[in-house]
Amino acid sequence: MTTADAFNDAFAAMPLVAILRGLTPETADDIGDVLVEAGFTLIEVPLNSPCPLESIAHLAKRLEGRALVGAGTVLDVAAVEAVAEVGGTLIVSPNTNTAVISAAAARGLIAVPGFQTPSEAFAALEAGARALKLFPAEAASPAVLKAVRTVLPAGTAVLPVGGISPTNLGPWHAAGAAGFGIGSALYSPGVTPEDLAVRAAAFVAAYRAL
């Protein structure tokens, strides 16, 4: 199975990306297990976390066949290569950097860059993005997403990221969101596995109820 196929399957199973900003390698295994048990299949460790490559390596090995793991806040080509070397397959960025996107695509990785404007969205797709991250979602709205969706190629997956909670998935989904990136409302440093399990279950239930 190609990485693209694995991403498509994971996204179809549960299109929620767990953003684990601040995760440490010591807690990575327990956190990953809780998320997968709740139904998450896509996990992102931002590169401004402590020892992020070590955490990504831990999770990619432990969750192989159960979830795709990669990096967030990927800002340059060197970071793409570093993530690939430790087994990460997701390359998530807050911005539209076509060099990063092209490098990820060339390595067979899944690039999910951030965008705010149609120009950025089309540049990202042309460079090889597999999905688009509307970030920060607080600076947009479901109405903005609905308007952008009318001009994007059919089937383009757009994921709002920023300020997403179990209670506001509905309007975004109705406007055409294919999935969501979820940060501090799901995980923050110090959250216990027990609390994470409750939060994760709430997000999964809210998505399945759409």
Side-chain angles (χ1 to χ4, degrees), residues 11 15 145-146 149 156-160 169 171-180 207 210:
F11 197 83
L145 173 59
K146 184 176 181 180
R149 292 242 11 111
T156 300
V158 179
L159 292 76
L169 302 185
W172 287 109
H173 186 260
F180 300 89
Y207 183 80
L210 294 174

Side-chain angles (χ1 to χ4, degrees), residues 14 35 70 72 74 84 109 117 136 145-146 167 174 191 193 204:
M14 181 52 59
L35 290 169
V74 181
L109 306 179
T117 69
L145 173 59
K146 184 176 181 180
T167 60
V191 68
V204 170

Side-chain angles (χ1 to χ4, degrees), residues 108-153:
L109 306 179
I110 305 301
V112 186
F115 83 100
Q116 271 286 323
T117 69
S119 294
E120 291 174 338
F122 281 104
L125 293 173
E126 186 174 351
R130 299 288 306 187
L132 300 174
K133 166 182 169 179
L134 180 58
F135 176 79
E138 297 99 324
S141 67
V144 169
L145 173 59
K146 184 176 181 180
V148 173
R149 292 242 11 111
T150 64
V151 296
L152 291 176

